[in-house]
Every structure is written in C-alpha cells, then in structure tokens.
C-alpha cells in the first residue's frame, strides 16, 4: 500500500484521463498485465477501491500511469485529481503476461476500448527484449483510439473503428492484418465478447493466446470472491490467479 502523488492528470477524451503518479521512494517492480487497486477519496458514493490496469511505468521519472475510463462516481472523482494530490494505491496486484523466452516479430497485441491500456506497457517491455510486436487496436471511433503515437514507438500499429473513421471499419477480428501476417502469440484485453472472438480466432489458427480478464475485482487479493471465473482448475479469483489467463484454462464456448 503506497501513498502516491499526482504528477499529471491529462484529459485525453471526454471519457478518459491519463493519471500519472509518483512516489518518494523507488516504485516497486511491476509486470505488464498487473493492476492496482486505487482508493477514491472525496466521493460519498464510492466505498470500494477501483481496479485499474497498469498502463505504463516510466522508470526515469519514477512514475506509474493509469488510463482511466470515467464511468461512475469513483472514476470521475479520480478524473478530478490535481497535481500534488495524494492517492492511496495498492500495487502491483495479480499476475502478468508471459513474455517470450527469445526475441520474436510474430507477437500480436490486441486491445479494445480501455483494454488497450495494458498493451502499451507490454509492448514497451517486449521491445526492450528485442521483440517487434504488432498492435491491433479497436474502438468505436477515431476519437476513442488513445495513445497511438506512444504505441508506434514500440511496433507496427493497425486500427479498426466501428464507424470507419480511422483504419479499417469493423471489429479487430475482421482486420486484414490477420490474413496477411503469421503470428505465434496473441495477447489481448478488452470487452469480453471481443476477447472471446480473439480466442476463437487463436484456437482456429493454433496460436497461443493470453487474455486479461476484466471481472469486477473489489478487493484485489482474493478475499471477496466477486471476481471468480470458472476454469479447468475450478473457480479461480481473477484478481489473484489472473487477471491474465491462457485461453486453454478458460471454459469459454470457443
């Protein structure tokens, strides 16, 4: 549990902010795919911490970034935080993505909506290992595609929008890059229907695939049982055993 200071709270979109936090001491090691439980102060209707994916870790500035979608009183209050404010955070929580043992240029990172958040840190870490990841990012419109320039620092970026305002029109699983390139590993995070479609594609092609689940995670330590997912090993708490799972462990109808 850490008291972190806000260094920047940048409005990226009417419904999204990028919250950057720092500590007086060196931040702990964090893995791509892990998350934090953030306490919300000043909101009379918010009693539980909010689970937010780790978007990026800037070691040079000792900052951790969170891409926050403003959907309720709790997240809207976080969206009002100002530089210098102190926010209590529990991190890092959960298990991260499995990084390849050797450099590869056949890694596909698929993010949808706010599910693009953990893909940025994952992409940065893969690039640091000598990999050349491919990003496939989907959203409703061009206005909902965030941090594209940052993603381009680490690999090729392809996009889909439901309204066709940027990239190819449709869903990520309909993008032509899936027929033009061969992949050996897929990482994905986003709405469950999207992840299920990605998992089905991966199964069909025989590609190893890991998904980051977004079940409701109230406690973050496996105590409240509200994030339970049925798996091949029985009911597991996503916050403790996940949030990243290999699709072969999930009992999805794929």
């Amino acid at each position: 549990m850490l008291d972190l200071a806000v260094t920047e709270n940048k409005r990226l979109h009417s419904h999204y902010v990028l919250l950057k936090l720092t500590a007086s001491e060196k931040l702990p090691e964090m893995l791509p795919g892990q998350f934090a439980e953030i306490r919300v102060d000043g909101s009379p209707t918010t009693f539980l911490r909010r689970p937010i994916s780790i978007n990026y870790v800037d070691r040079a500035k000792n900052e951790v970034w969170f891409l926050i979608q403003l959907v309720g009183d709790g997240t809207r209050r976080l969206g009002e935080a100002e530089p210098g404010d102190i926010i209590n955070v529990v991190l890092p929580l959960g298990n991260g993505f499995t990084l390849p043992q050797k450099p590869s240029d056949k890694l596909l990172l698929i993010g949808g909506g706010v599910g693009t958040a953990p893909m940025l840190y994952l992409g940065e870490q893969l690039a640091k290992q000598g990999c050349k990841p491919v990003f496939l990012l989907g959203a409703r419109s061009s206005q909902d595609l965030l941090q594209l320039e940052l993603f381009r620092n680490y690999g090729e970026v392809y996009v889909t929008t439901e309204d066709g305002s940027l990239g190819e029109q449709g869903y990520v699983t309909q993008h032509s890059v899936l027929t033009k390139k061969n992949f050996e590993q897929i990482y994905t995070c986003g709405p469950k229907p999207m992840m299920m479609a990605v998992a089905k594609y991966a199964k069909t092609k025989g590609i190893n695939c890991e998904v980051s689940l977004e079940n409701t995670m109230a406690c973050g330590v496996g105590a409240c049982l509200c994030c339970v997912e049925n798996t091949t090993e029985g009911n597991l708490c996503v916050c403790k055993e996940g949030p990243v799972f290999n699709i072969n462990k999930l009992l999805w109808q794929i």
Side-chain angles (χ1 to χ4, degrees):
M1 187 179 298
L2 300 170
D3 283 328
L4 303 183
V6 177
T7 56
E8 184 178 7
N9 195 0
K10 185 177 182 181
R11 181 64 64 101
L12 302 181
H13 178 284
S14 59
H15 300 301
Y16 294 92
V17 297
L18 178 61
L19 183 64
K20 299 182 181 181
L21 305 175
T22 191
S24 57
E25 304 293 333
K26 183 180 178 181
L27 287 168
E29 292 299 318
M30 289 170 266
L31 301 175
Q34 291 185 307
F35 69 100
E37 287 279 357
I38 302 179
R39 192 177 73 197
V40 180
D41 297 323
S43 172
T45 62
T46 307
F47 304 102
L48 300 173
R49 291 174 181 265
R50 291 294 178 261
I52 307 291
S53 297
I54 294 169
N55 175 228
Y56 187 76
V57 179
D58 187 335
R59 286 294 171 191
K61 294 184 178 180
N62 199 41
E63 285 181 342
V64 57
W65 298 6
F66 298 100
L67 182 63
I68 300 175
Q69 184 177 18
L70 310 178
V71 294
D73 290 343
T75 50
R76 281 196 291 268
R77 178 67 188 90
L78 291 174
E80 297 170 354
E82 298 180 352
D85 287 353
I86 302 299
I87 296 179
N88 186 266
V89 178
V90 180
L91 61 73
L93 295 170
N95 296 303
F97 292 103
T98 304
L99 301 182
Q101 295 184 346
K102 59 182 180 178
S104 172
D105 61 357
K106 296 182 179 180
L107 308 177
L108 178 61
L109 283 60
I110 303 179
V114 77
T116 61
M119 297 295 113
L120 181 62
Y121 186 35
L122 174 60
E124 187 260 355
Q125 290 291 295
L126 290 172
K128 187 179 290 186
Q129 288 190 355
C131 298
K132 297 179 180 179
V134 173
F135 300 97
L136 177 53
L137 310 175
R140 292 181 179 177
S141 72
S142 61
Q143 299 300 312
D144 300 303
L145 285 165
L146 308 172
Q147 301 181 299
L148 291 184
E149 289 306 313
L150 293 176
F151 279 106
R152 293 188 180 108
N153 290 331
Y154 307 117
E156 293 181 81
V157 177
Y158 298 88
V159 301
T160 65
T161 50
E162 292 179 26
D163 64 1
S165 55
L166 187 66
E168 296 186 14
Q169 184 170 10
Y171 301 117
V172 289
T173 48
Q174 300 169 327
H175 198 285
S176 60
V177 72
L178 298 179
T179 60
K180 295 177 180 178
K181 290 180 176 285
N182 295 317
F183 299 101
E184 60 187 16
Q185 173 72 46
I186 296 176
Y187 305 96
T188 186
C189 182
K192 187 173 182 179
M194 184 209 81
M195 290 193 292
M196 292 183 73
V198 171
K200 184 176 181 179
Y201 165 81
K203 281 267 191 179
T204 301
K205 296 294 184 179
I207 304 172
N208 192 56
C209 181
E210 290 186 343
V211 301
S212 178
L213 301 187
E214 295 186 319
N215 297 30
T216 300
M217 295 180 282
C219 73
V221 293
C224 69
L225 304 181
C226 68
C227 66
V228 165
E229 180 79 20
N230 194 9
T231 74
T232 56
E233 298 177 5
N235 289 328
L236 297 178
C237 289
V238 170
C239 68
K240 189 174 181 180
E241 305 296 334
V244 176
F245 290 93
N246 189 292
I247 58 172
N248 295 325
K249 203 171 187 176
L250 300 174
L251 298 180
W252 288 351
Q253 298 300 309
I254 55 177

